Amino acid sequence: MKTTWWITFALAGLLTTACNQKQGGTTSNTVSNEATFEGCGKGKAAPAQPPPASIETELLLKHYWVWEFCIYGENPELGRAMEGRWFQFKPDGTFEYGQWETLVCRGTWSLRTVKDKLRIKLDAEIDDHDSEFEIQGHTDDAMSWVGTDTYNQSSMIIKTINLFTRPTRKQFGRE
């Protein structure tokens, strides 16, 4: 049933993009010249705020961060289905995200420290996609994120990797 949810989610994202293009939505200069997806979700993201200067901020602003592995303790199949999600963080505190080749929506991101642990909050325009993760470790091209209780994601463990472009199913052997 969870896999069906992800398929529905991907199709809804494609339909939203197509509707915006048909209604004359403006286009951005992204790799595939997709619509700016105004109103991609019924929810609202918080106003964007530029993130604080830090090593983690500099890393997050590099290219695309992709969920290479996702372990969801309560639902291993859902964790596997969420692999291939990507985020492109912008210096103004906004981000775009999708899965594999598909752009889904956008939102705002912020960093904050809670009990000496750095957290990244992802406030998407699709409220069901809001997330918060503790950044537990990083190198120049990989990070480990652990979900928090904020959105009931404390059983999520994610390995993110940095790629120059959006991931493809072919790259990860998921064709």
Side-chain angles (χ1 to χ4, degrees), residues 4-161:
T4 304
W5 182 85
W6 276 103
I7 291 169
T8 304
F9 161 73
L11 290 173
L14 288 171
L15 181 61
T16 300
T17 301
C19 287
N20 281 343
Q21 287 175 336
K22 191 172 185 176
Q23 293 172 357
T26 58
T27 56
S28 63
N29 292 327
T30 59
V31 174
S32 62
N33 198 31
E34 296 174 61
T36 58
F37 44 91
E38 292 177 20
C40 57
K42 292 182 180 179
K44 294 275 186 192
Q49 299 285 327
S54 69
I55 293 169
E56 292 83 4
T57 297
E58 287 181 40
L59 289 174
L60 288 166
L61 294 175
K62 283 177 36 181
H63 317 297
Y64 293 85
W65 285 93
V66 180
W67 292 9
E68 181 180 26
F69 297 106
C70 178
I71 298 170
Y72 204 134
E74 293 132 12
N75 190 335
E77 290 111 19
L78 178 58
R80 179 118 170 111
M82 291 174 22
E83 292 172 1
R85 279 188 129 184
W86 56 264
F87 298 84
Q88 185 179 33
F89 299 102
K90 313 271 176 138
D92 66 355
T94 62
F95 70 93
E96 294 179 358
Y97 69 100
Q99 188 169 17
W100 303 118
E101 297 87 353
T102 305
L103 172 68
V104 174
C105 199
R106 66 175 173 218
T108 58
W109 66 284
S110 60
L111 292 174
R112 66 185 178 116
T113 303
V114 176
K115 296 181 182 175
D116 295 325
K117 304 287 184 182
L118 186 63
R119 291 184 178 190
I120 182 169
K121 183 175 182 177
L122 307 172
D123 189 2
E125 288 186 6
I126 300 173
D127 287 340
D128 287 344
H129 297 178
D130 291 349
S131 298
E132 183 180 70
F133 300 97
E134 183 179 298
I135 299 174
Q136 291 200 337
H138 60 78
T139 64
D140 286 346
D141 57 2
M143 288 189 192
S144 60
W145 296 358
V146 175
T148 69
D149 287 327
T150 303
Y151 297 100
N152 298 319
Q153 297 169 318
S154 61
S155 67
M156 289 180 75
I157 302 169
I158 301 162
K159 178 187 175 195
T160 63
I161 58 172

